Amino acid sequence: MLSRQADLILIGEEEIEALEIGAAILGTGGGGNPYIGKLRALQVLREGRKMRVMPLQALPDDAKVVSLGGIGAPLISHERIKEGREGLRCVRALEQRLGIKVDAIACEEIGGQNAMEPLIVAALADLPVVDCDGMGRAFPEMQMTTYSIYGHRSTPSVMCDLHGNVVIFDHAASELWHERLARACVISQGGASTLASAPMPGVFVKRFGIPDSYSRAIALGRAVRNAQARNEDPVAAICEFEQGRLVFTGKISDVKRELRGGFVAGEALIDGFDAHEGDVANIIIQNENLVFQRNGKSEVVVPDLIVILDIDTGEAITTEMLRYGQRVSVLALPCHPLLRTPEALAVVGPAGFGLGHLNYLPLEDVDAHQQRALEEAGK
């Protein structure tokens, strides 16, 4: 059970186990391997450190909140283990550069290992983590947070790698330029590092952070674990918890994947079976799953969530772990309303990924359109 002390949620090993599952689902294939993140988080807890999550509305308006997370290709973060204190070095260097003391840590993205990183860093720094994030899922680029979309300037920022290098980005002309400069740097550092952005005031985080990210991800992970323990369908449990829907079941027939500009880019091909026998699906990938297509027609498009699950366990398969022959379920989950505004869609909609030929239609509208089509076909 989550226990509260002075408005803080204490995170223990059971919560970390549940978070591993929930964050992997919300990560839409990206965010870094959650299993490795879990092992690192458990090690920090077993060293006697405290992990505390602060409810968003308990955050003081004048608090100095630093968001951080991993940057780079998930494949690299899976193959090359972190040194462990990269994020702490980022926070300390940022405090020294700005002459401040950070009051709380915020999550950049609640997906995958990047859900664990803020907890690890905050525990090492003896700080709380705010129960929110900047994506409600995972995205491949740093300007794709609600923090940046709604006006926060991320520089000065600090990037640290496992070699001990500390790089300060003093000023970037725009959030997109910050992403470009940091991406070039992370390539030179081997493809995966940790970055902390300029502090945000608490009042801004309360308005533009996506709320309850940690409590939601932990509850989602628990829903999957409970379904597994009861021999119930974990895929159905996820759909019910997230108001999502199952869009495809099949076997992975091919995975095309390459490192491109600091990202993992590619495509997963799936041959349908059971209710989807005779259909072919493909999923376009840039670190995360961006577009789901059935028989060449796009059905689910970013920023709504596309999740590839092991058909038996209901646990997410991250993009670097996709393999030929895996039997999978593909789910579509609705994104948070903060990602559906015109300002947000300009950054995290199809056009933000060079897919301007595709139109974003909210998942709920897609469902209604398909239902009307079925009704008309039956007349």
Side-chain angles (χ1 to χ4, degrees), residues 19 39 51 84 93 268 321 324:
L19 179 60
L39 295 181
M51 290 185 180
M321 299 301 290
Y324 170 81

Side-chain angles (χ1 to χ4, degrees), residues 290-320:
L290 300 182
V291 179
F292 167 79
Q293 298 176 322
R294 186 199 314 267
N295 301 326
K297 182 179 179 180
S298 299
E299 292 189 9
V300 188
V301 179
V302 66
D304 284 336
L305 287 68
I306 300 161
V307 187
I308 303 176
L309 305 172
D310 180 282
I311 199 168
D312 296 316
T313 67
E315 296 186 19
I317 305 173
T318 52
T319 55
E320 75 275 7

Side-chain angles (χ1 to χ4, degrees), residues 8 83 139 172 215 239 246 264 269 312 339 359:
L8 296 179
E83 177 270 333
F139 286 121
S215 50
C239 288
L246 174 67
V264 172
L269 305 179
D312 296 316
L339 300 177
N359 293 319

